[in-house]
Amino acid sequence: MSPRPPTSRPPWTATPKRRTMTESAAPPIGVGLLGFGGVGQSVYRTLAEQRDYYAARSGRAITVPRIAVRDRARSRTLSVDPGVLTDDALAIATDPALAVIVEVMGGVEPAITCIRAALEAGKHVVTANKEVMAIAGPELLELAYQRNVELLYEASVGGGIPIIAPLQRDLHANEVAAVQAIINGTTNFMLTAMAREGLTYEAALAEAQRRGYAEPDPTNDVDGTDAAYKLAILATLAFHVTVRPDDVYREGITQLTPKDFTYARRLGYIVRLVATARRAAGGLDVRVHPTLLPEDDPLAKVDGVLNAIAVEGNLIGRALFEGPGAGPAPTTSAVIADLLDIVRGIASGRRPRRPRPPSVEACIQPVGSLRMQYYLRALVRDRPGVLAEIGSALADNNISIASLLQMEADAVAGTAEIAITTHHAREADCDRFLAQAARLDAVVEQGIRLRIEDPWG
Ligand code: HSE
């Protein structure tokens, strides 16, 4: 159900005594909309329904005279004058009659080309596009700065959750130590279903697709690419250095099995795809991978398609931003907030000068220098001395066992499944142990290695 929109004059307000903004003589501000899918239609409909309310809030009415679509002939639920639609997005981006471009097409091109053209033409831009902002954001923001126009992108990370503006403004007095987030709703829905209902990866994906939470091709979500894009955007803002998507170490969720959720639960953990950016001795530690979180950790309690972003700063301590990370209505909330911010600046003639984007590339700490606790699952021979062999290989690599579970012994096959958690160890040592363990006669099949974090501990 769509949220009930605010009325233009809510019942708790008295009759206005002075002239309202909607009566202002100034002409409406022309906005070009690039993209008319679920989000584009939601933005268009909301701007039309709330025209007076937004005019009163921002100081000028907004009009959307041109919309770029991929296919003009396609039937749509929302009826729009056909003269408004065009398949020439670049023509809208450079149309002198428009002051602001809202890009909700998604994808890398032609979005980057259109945004660049709009900025070069002196237009303000609002985008919901995480790929664009992760890949080309630093260059586009610099262009916007040079042209003295706005490029706002609140909707690009966390959908309706305010996180870009808080990092740019409200948390600016802090030195940020870490950002830790669940920023992919598709995988969070799947991991929640796998934990609660014991679903396999394949069954959880089918359920996510049935509900419209996963694309027909889910690769970018399940392999961590989507979360890596978003983390690059957040880390760039939080640490004032340019973090590129390729800087982010990435592992997806495809290797997880229902038993990992069972074992994790017995050990007191919940599995989540966590995106982490943290200051470390060797540089910036930026990574996305399935992570075991203590079950009482706030991020472990973020279920289903929800997103959450925890920011740790020297003044604020830890702050958690949680909410709907995708979907037309939450994305519309963020897109229109950015648009109103721009319109308010134009209407008042007092447009804020945004900080210049960082010009320094991040120095990234290699993942091999991490010191983490690990969860290791393997199928081993069920015979005397096996644990001693494995324990000895761990000791050879400076890894100390914290706990051990032995499960699912198969008397016929003579095998047993073990799940080990370790004390803190170096990732490079853990890699060496895994290579050594693969050669041990005791190990029938190596299962999985997951990292354990206790971010709030
Ligand atoms: N597939 C993305 C998600 C959509 O699940 O979060 C928003 O980027």
Side-chain angles (χ1 to χ4, degrees), residues 130 156 183-187 213 215 221 226 230 307 325-326:
K130 74 231 153 186
S156 65
I183 38 179
N184 183 269
T186 306
T187 46
Y213 297 153
E215 306 279 340
D221 289 318
D226 177 85
K230 295 167 180 168
N307 283 194

Side-chain angles (χ1 to χ4, degrees), residues 26 30 37 79 88 94 102 156 176 213 231 285 297 325 344 398 410 452:
S79 101
D88 189 350
T94 53
V102 171
S156 65
V176 175
Y213 297 153
L231 185 65
D285 165 25
D297 185 280
R344 194 177 295 124
N398 311 309
D410 181 336
I452 302 172

Side-chain angles (χ1 to χ4, degrees), residues 51-75:
R51 186 184 152 98
D52 290 349
Y53 177 74
Y54 292 150
R57 306 292 306 158
S58 65
R60 285 278 283 280
I62 296 167
T63 176
V64 184
R66 299 192 75 187
I67 301 171
V69 292
R70 215 172 299 154
D71 177 7
R72 290 179 65 194
R74 200 173 130 192
S75 71

Side-chain angles (χ1 to χ4, degrees), residues 21-39:
M21 293 297 187
T22 42
E23 293 167 295
S24 152
I29 288 180
V31 172
L33 186 57
L34 307 185
F36 208 45
V39 173

Side-chain angles (χ1 to χ4, degrees), residues 123-440:
K123 297 179 196 313
H124 307 289
V125 174
V126 175
T127 179
N129 195 321
K130 74 231 153 186
E131 280 154 288
V132 164
M133 291 312 294
I135 293 168
E139 288 71 33
L140 294 172
L141 286 164
E142 177 62 22
L143 176 59
Y145 183 85
Q146 297 292 344
R147 299 295 160 118
N148 194 22
V149 290
E150 308 271 20
L151 169 56
L152 302 188
Y153 50 105
E154 184 60 68
S156 65
V157 181
I161 306 171
I163 185 62
I164 303 292
L167 281 172
Q168 284 172 327
R169 207 199 81 96
D170 310 289
L171 297 170
H172 206 55
N174 286 261
E175 187 175 13
V176 175
V179 174
Q180 199 139 40
I182 292 173
I183 38 179
N184 183 269
T186 306
T187 46
N188 209 54
F189 172 84
M190 290 172 63
L191 297 179
T192 307
M194 290 173 83
R196 287 213 182 127
E197 293 151 45
L199 299 186
T200 61
Y201 166 83
E202 289 76 16
L205 176 58
E207 181 60 13
Q209 285 171 326
R210 194 181 68 75
R211 293 181 183 227
Y213 297 153
E215 306 279 340
D217 176 1
T219 312
N220 273 7
D221 289 318
V222 299
D223 76 357
T225 301
D226 177 85
Y229 283 141
K230 295 167 180 168
L231 185 65
I233 296 170
L234 293 180
T236 297
L237 280 170
F239 299 105
H240 314 293
V241 287
T242 303
V243 179
R244 310 276 176 186
D246 285 348
D247 291 334
V248 180
Y249 174 83
R250 184 164 51 83
E251 278 177 25
I253 66 163
T254 52
Q255 303 303 316
L256 292 166
T257 66
K259 49 193 161 194
D260 291 313
F261 293 84
T262 309
Y263 299 171
R265 171 73 75 181
R266 289 200 192 177
L267 293 162
Y269 295 106
I270 302 285
V271 185
R272 290 282 177 263
L273 184 70
V274 178
T276 302
R278 180 178 281 134
R279 281 178 201 274
L284 212 56
D285 165 25
V286 273
R287 50 199 159 83
V288 171
H289 51 70
T291 304
L292 267 58
L293 295 170
E295 56 197 359
D296 59 352
D297 185 280
L299 288 181
K301 295 176 183 164
V302 177
D303 286 338
V305 288
L306 287 180
N307 283 194
I309 302 120
V311 181
E312 192 179 322
N314 62 328
L315 299 175
I316 196 167
R318 295 185 183 94
L320 185 71
F321 300 79
E322 181 179 348
T331 307
T332 296
S333 164
V335 165
I336 294 185
D338 278 348
L339 178 58
L340 294 179
D341 202 22
I342 289 170
V343 171
R344 194 177 295 124
I346 297 172
S348 65
R350 291 192 300 273
R351 220 163 36 70
R353 184 83 166 136
R354 310 278 169 191
R356 191 169 191 165
S359 57
V360 183
E361 301 284 327
C363 169
I364 303 298
Q365 170 173 275
V367 75
S369 0
L370 278 177
R371 271 189 71 80
M372 307 280 292
Q373 285 186 266
Y374 296 94
Y375 159 96
L376 309 167
R377 170 174 56 79
L379 190 66
V380 298
R381 294 194 198 288
D382 198 3
R383 62 160 166 73
V386 161
L387 291 183
E389 276 180 60
I390 293 170
S392 158
L394 284 165
D396 288 349
N397 292 288
N398 311 309
I399 302 171
S400 163
I401 295 174
S403 69
L404 188 143
L405 288 177
Q406 178 162 333
M407 330 272 291
E408 291 185 20
D410 181 336
V412 178
T415 58
E417 190 117 54
I418 59 166
I420 293 172
T421 64
T422 74
H423 289 297
H424 280 87
R426 274 189 69 226
E427 176 107 357
D429 288 339
C430 192
D431 289 342
R432 244 190 317 275
F433 162 74
L434 291 173
Q436 191 175 329
R439 295 190 298 269
L440 290 179

